[in-house]
Amino acid sequence: MRITIIGSGNVATHLAAAFKNAGHRIVQVYSRDAQNAALLAYHVKAEPINDLAQIDTETDLFVISIKDDAIGPVAEQLAKYDKLMVHTSGATHIFALQAYAEQVGVFYPLQTFSKTRELNFSEVPLCIEAATEAIAKQLTQLAQTISNHVYQADSAQRKILHLAAVFACNFPNYLYNVAQQLLAGHQLDFNLIRPLILETALKAQSSLPASVQTGPAIRRDEITMHDHLRLLENQADLQALYHLLSQGIIKMDIDLHGDK
Amino acid sequence: MRITIIGSGNVATHLAAAFKNAGHRIVQVYSRDAQNAALLAYHVKAEPINDLAQIDTETDLFVISIKDDAIGPVAEQLAKYDKLMVHTSGATHIFALQAYAEQVGVFYPLQTFSKTRELNFSEVPLCIEAATEAIAKQLTQLAQTISNHVYQADSAQRKILHLAAVFACNFPNYLYNVAQQLLAGHQLDFNLIRPLILETALKAQSSLPASVQTGPAIRRDEITMHDHLRLLENQADLQALYHLLSQGIIKMDIDLHGDK
């Protein structure tokens, strides 16, 4: 397919590379920032543009991979070309495109991307939604050229997926930061805790998290929890977080196994 | 070395196997539960016992790997044999042993263990503390026979390590469970989110977490955060958690980059 990438951020960068690697042609890369457009366009042998008036109409698909609140306005400008158009946002309803065009869909890669980190795209779950059955079929075929894990998810499901992703990725990463800061405050190396972080995520690959929960809360080890809260006594926000998460673990355990 | 394992839980099981694999002799495995003692003893070719009166005194080291509040009472009973004695607890002070004996230390493996999950012990960070320099040297040498990552950490540092481990392992695992429950409530497969969990942990292996934080909070995407809080409106505890974690991410960003 001939694909035009609208955006040059983390998702746009990885998607463009995956499409290119799968043999598709990236026609143009658009970014408001000419330098960002040029950088990504260079990597995928496309023409960089920083003005939507420069759109090459010889394309099959617009992939809009930009900030959520810019999706609608950009879709409005692209609608006149009458091409298939998708956005890549977890949090944005398909309506954001349907307000302006009929040939639309969503192409949501459920992964955390960094421009500087290589990633095997074939393992990235891709969630497809489309305005029509025919488009769904077309987008699914396209998705299967770059990923082995293609799912259908409507806008309501995608919203839940996005919320779940915040709990499974953004929040754990913040907790890693809390751990790193605690260690740094006592001249302890973050490397001490990195294997633990990885093993915890590896366990979740083959088990349900509730079945492999460890730590003082699930053991009802009140002495250790009290000790930990005392260590955090000058950080009221971390104390509150510790308390809330521990209560959540205890509640999860009671829901699963009854009160002990 | 001739090693006696006191305990048959997750840590005892993995440590005993690692010692055995490194060529040490496991003399006995003690557990209050005869069946648990027998099972682990069988795997490491040791004698199982379920009564501390059956201790074989032809040993060099007692490794006490049991519930935190049982460490002191068991150490008191073992003190009379006048052997080197260590516990493996992150949360327990070396005093719990020093109260009863002089030849004591701590041998804390900073990892989350499950009996049924194989693990490369050589990658597990081992934190050593000892009552004397000579014991520290001896325990360090022993540790190096089973792990490539041996550190020194006193009881105060170990307490911080243990607290950091709760934030880096127990709490993220609980958040994985929240994600899994959210998905299950909408007939969505947990597999959709597993690659994201793994990639988030992999990123933290080579980056500082604060530098790779993503998601609505760090983008100050108030619309999405408001949307997410609305999706959680029947789960006040998850709403509170979402709010607290998002505030934490924003504070982390301000501490790092100043207010935007």
Side-chain angles (χ1 to χ4, degrees):
Chain A
M1 269 180 105
R2 296 170 300 182
I3 300 172
T4 302
I5 303 288
I6 309 294
S8 61
N10 294 335
V11 176
T13 297
H14 282 271
L15 260 182
F19 283 134
K20 180 73 186 166
N21 290 339
H24 301 287
R25 186 173 147 228
I26 311 299
V27 181
Q28 293 180 316
V29 171
Y30 163 82
S31 170
R32 282 184 310 182
D33 179 308
Q35 210 170 340
N36 288 344
L39 188 66
L40 177 53
Y42 172 79
H43 283 295
V44 296
K45 303 197 194 314
E47 180 193 358
I49 60 173
N50 69 338
D51 183 344
L52 288 176
Q54 300 166 302
I55 285 287
D56 181 345
T57 58
E58 295 294 307
T59 188
D60 304 309
L61 172 66
F62 291 119
V63 175
I64 304 175
S65 193
I66 57 182
K67 277 202 309 179
D68 288 355
D69 56 3
I71 293 171
V74 164
E76 187 174 11
Q77 290 185 67
L78 295 174
K80 61 173 176 262
Y81 301 113
D82 203 23
K83 305 288 181 186
L84 183 54
M85 187 155 74
V86 298
H87 75 64
T88 64
S89 162
T92 305
H93 204 283
I94 192 172
F95 289 165
L97 305 180
Q98 276 181 316
Y100 307 106
E102 287 175 5
Q103 300 285 96
V104 301
V106 180
F107 208 91
Y108 172 47
L110 219 171
Q111 190 48 286
T112 173
F113 299 102
S114 306
K115 282 187 196 178
T116 53
R117 202 177 137 74
E118 285 285 337
L119 192 120
N120 180 1
F121 209 98
S122 64
E123 294 301 319
V124 175
L126 273 175
C127 300
I128 301 296
E129 181 178 11
T132 69
E133 281 292 325
I135 296 172
K137 202 174 156 190
Q138 197 180 357
L139 291 179
T140 300
Q141 282 172 355
L142 174 65
Q144 286 168 343
T145 66
I146 59 172
S147 168
N148 297 325
H149 303 279
V150 180
Y151 298 83
Q152 308 296 317
D154 64 25
S155 288
Q157 287 178 311
R158 197 169 54 253
K159 205 165 257 197
I160 294 294
L161 275 169
H162 187 245
L163 174 59
V166 170
F167 276 97
C169 162
N170 305 149
F171 290 165
N173 187 72
Y174 169 67
L175 296 177
Y176 303 161
N177 168 73
V178 171
Q180 184 261 322
Q181 291 289 316
L182 285 169
L183 296 179
H186 293 78
Q187 287 74 51
L188 288 161
D189 193 335
F190 186 46
N191 279 330
L192 267 157
I193 217 116
R194 281 182 159 136
L196 180 64
I197 286 173
L198 185 55
E199 175 68 11
T200 304
L202 283 169
K203 272 189 181 179
Q205 301 305 301
S206 52
S207 302
L208 284 184
S211 71
V212 292
Q213 184 68 51
T214 56
I218 195 132
R219 288 196 307 269
R220 311 291 195 280
D221 180 347
E222 298 286 347
I223 294 171
T224 298
M225 288 192 276
H226 184 261
D227 239 38
H228 285 169
L229 287 169
R230 212 159 32 113
L231 283 171
L232 297 170
E233 67 190 348
N234 294 320
Q235 293 161 280
D237 44 352
L238 291 186
Q239 263 189 339
L241 194 51
Y242 186 101
H243 185 74
L244 208 51
L245 287 162
S246 296
Q247 289 305 309
I249 291 171
I250 292 169
K251 186 173 174 304
M252 170 187 82
D253 193 42
I254 291 173
D255 287 350
L256 215 63
H257 301 113
D259 213 339
K260 282 170 187 170
Chain B
M1 269 180 105
R2 295 171 299 181
I3 299 173
T4 302
I5 303 288
I6 308 295
S8 61
N10 295 335
V11 175
T13 297
H14 282 272
L15 260 181
F19 283 134
K20 180 73 187 167
N21 290 338
H24 302 286
R25 183 172 150 227
I26 311 299
V27 180
Q28 292 180 316
V29 171
Y30 163 82
S31 170
R32 281 184 311 182
D33 180 308
Q35 210 170 342
N36 287 344
L39 189 65
L40 177 53
Y42 173 79
H43 283 295
V44 296
K45 303 198 195 312
E47 179 194 359
I49 59 173
N50 68 339
D51 182 345
L52 288 177
Q54 301 167 301
I55 284 288
D56 181 344
T57 57
E58 294 296 305
T59 188
D60 303 310
L61 172 67
F62 290 119
V63 175
I64 304 174
S65 191
I66 56 181
K67 278 203 308 178
D68 289 354
D69 57 3
I71 292 171
V74 165
E76 188 175 8
Q77 291 186 66
L78 294 174
K80 61 172 175 263
Y81 302 111
D82 202 24
K83 305 286 179 185
L84 183 54
M85 186 156 71
V86 299
H87 75 64
T88 63
S89 161
T92 305
H93 204 284
I94 193 172
F95 289 165
L97 305 180
Q98 275 181 317
Y100 307 106
E102 286 177 6
Q103 299 285 95
V104 300
V106 180
F107 208 89
Y108 172 48
L110 219 172
Q111 187 51 281
T112 172
F113 299 102
S114 307
K115 282 187 196 178
T116 54
R117 203 178 136 72
E118 286 284 339
L119 192 121
N120 180 1
F121 210 97
S122 64
E123 294 302 320
V124 175
L126 273 176
C127 301
I128 301 295
E129 180 177 11
T132 69
E133 282 293 325
I135 298 172
K137 203 174 157 190
Q138 196 181 357
L139 291 180
T140 299
Q141 281 172 354
L142 174 65
Q144 285 168 344
T145 66
I146 59 172
S147 168
N148 297 324
H149 303 278
V150 180
Y151 298 83
Q152 309 296 316
D154 63 24
S155 289
Q157 286 179 312
R158 198 169 54 251
K159 205 166 256 200
I160 294 294
L161 275 170
H162 188 246
L163 174 60
V166 170
F167 276 97
C169 162
N170 306 149
F171 290 164
N173 187 70
Y174 169 67
L175 296 177
Y176 303 161
N177 168 72
V178 171
Q180 185 260 322
Q181 291 290 315
L182 286 169
L183 295 179
H186 293 79
Q187 288 74 50
L188 287 161
D189 192 337
F190 185 47
N191 279 330
L192 267 156
I193 217 115
R194 281 182 159 134
L196 180 64
I197 286 173
L198 185 56
E199 175 68 9
T200 304
L202 283 169
K203 271 189 182 181
Q205 301 305 303
S206 51
S207 301
L208 283 184
S211 71
V212 293
Q213 183 69 50
T214 55
I218 196 133
R219 289 196 307 270
R220 310 291 196 279
D221 180 346
E222 299 285 347
I223 294 171
T224 298
M225 288 192 275
H226 184 260
D227 241 37
H228 284 168
L229 287 170
R230 214 158 31 113
L231 284 171
L232 298 170
E233 66 191 349
N234 293 322
Q235 293 160 280
D237 45 352
L238 291 185
Q239 263 190 338
L241 194 52
Y242 187 101
H243 185 74
L244 208 52
L245 287 161
S246 297
Q247 290 305 309
I249 291 171
I250 292 169
K251 187 174 174 303
M252 168 186 83
D253 193 42
I254 291 173
D255 288 349
L256 215 63
H257 301 113
D259 213 340
K260 281 171 188 169

